[in-house]
């Protein structure tokens, strides 16, 4: 009987300690959540300013900071756009080169073994071959 009572007290003490840790953990999570909510509100406020909303409450210095930040962002966007155009142009030039080589190969194949057509068409192929 004494052992059962001791186990009961041990379990009860452990359970109370566990409850205290749970409550502390819940409090910590609530504080963290409220901190995150405040951060989100601040970020949304800055986002609205960058989108040009609620600017009437801004000072001249804040407006200048927003302007410089937007100028930097615009520069980055333009640089990325130029880079993408350059990459696309390089891909198109490579494809053009490949297609020209393929065209030359096909033309050479046709000149060596021209398809049977009229004499005018065969002369035409020879003239094209000489031009290439």
């Amino acid at each position: 009987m004494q052992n059962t009572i001791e186990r009961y007290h041990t379990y009860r003490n452990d359970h109370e300690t566990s409850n205290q840790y749970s409550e502390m953990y819940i409090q910590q999570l609530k504080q963290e959540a409220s901190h995150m909510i405040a951060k989100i509100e601040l970020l949304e406020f800055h986002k609205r300013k960058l989108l040009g909303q609620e600017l009437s409450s801004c000072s001249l210095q804040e407006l200048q900071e927003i302007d410089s930040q937007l100028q930097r962002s615009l520069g980055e966007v333009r640089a990325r756009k130029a880079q993408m155009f350059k990459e696309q142009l390089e891909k198109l030039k490579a494809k053009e080169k490949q297609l020209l080589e393929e065209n030359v190969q096909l033309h050479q194949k046709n000149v060596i073994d021209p398809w049977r057509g009229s004499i005018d068409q065969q002369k035409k192929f020879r003239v094209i071959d000489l031009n290439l």
Side-chain angles (χ1 to χ4, degrees), residues 101-118 121-130 132:
E101 289 173 0
E102 187 178 323
N103 191 19
V104 168
Q105 289 173 356
L106 289 172
H107 187 272
Q108 287 175 349
K109 181 180 176 184
N110 281 336
V111 169
I112 292 171
D113 186 22
W115 54 276
R116 303 201 188 272
S118 68
Q121 290 174 337
Q122 289 179 4
K123 287 180 182 178
K124 184 178 178 182
F125 278 120
R126 287 190 187 111
V127 169
I128 291 173
D129 187 45
L130 293 175
L132 289 177

Side-chain angles (χ1 to χ4, degrees), residues 49-61:
K49 281 186 177 181
L50 289 175
L51 292 174
Q53 302 168 353
E54 301 180 16
L55 293 177
S56 59
S57 64
C58 294
S59 67
L60 180 61
Q61 184 180 1

Side-chain angles (χ1 to χ4, degrees), residues 8-125:
Y8 170 74
H9 286 295
T10 303
Y11 175 75
R12 191 170 127 208
N13 289 339
D14 288 345
H15 185 67
E16 287 176 5
T17 305
S18 175
N19 282 342
Q20 289 173 351
Y21 286 129
S22 295
E23 288 177 26
M24 288 174 39
Y25 182 67
I26 289 171
Q27 280 291 39
Q28 183 182 4
L29 288 177
K30 286 180 180 178
Q31 288 175 350
E32 189 175 330
S34 65
H35 180 69
M36 295 301 270
I37 289 171
K39 263 187 173 179
I40 289 170
E41 289 174 357
L42 182 64
L43 288 172
E44 287 177 349
F45 178 71
H46 286 296
K47 177 185 155 192
R48 283 192 298 272
K49 281 186 177 181
L50 289 175
L51 292 174
Q53 302 168 353
E54 301 180 16
L55 293 177
S56 59
S57 64
C58 294
S59 67
L60 180 61
Q61 184 180 1
E62 286 177 319
L63 291 173
Q64 287 174 338
E65 288 174 9
I66 291 170
D67 182 49
S68 65
Q69 186 175 5
L70 288 173
Q71 291 296 335
R72 284 192 306 271
S73 296
L74 183 61
E76 291 174 13
V77 168
R78 285 181 176 160
R80 177 69 179 137
K81 179 179 155 186
Q83 179 186 2
M84 289 183 74
F85 278 147
K86 183 180 178 183
E87 290 171 359
Q88 193 174 26
L89 183 65
E90 289 172 359
K91 286 180 184 177
L92 289 172
K93 284 183 179 181
K95 187 168 184 169
E96 177 190 24
K97 183 178 177 182
Q98 175 194 1
L99 290 173
L100 285 174
E101 289 173 0
E102 187 178 323
N103 191 19
V104 168
Q105 289 173 356
L106 289 172
H107 187 272
Q108 287 175 349
K109 181 180 176 184
N110 281 336
V111 169
I112 292 171
D113 186 22
W115 54 276
R116 303 201 188 272
S118 68
I119 294 176
D120 290 335
Q121 290 174 337
Q122 289 179 4
K123 287 180 182 178
K124 184 178 178 182
F125 278 120

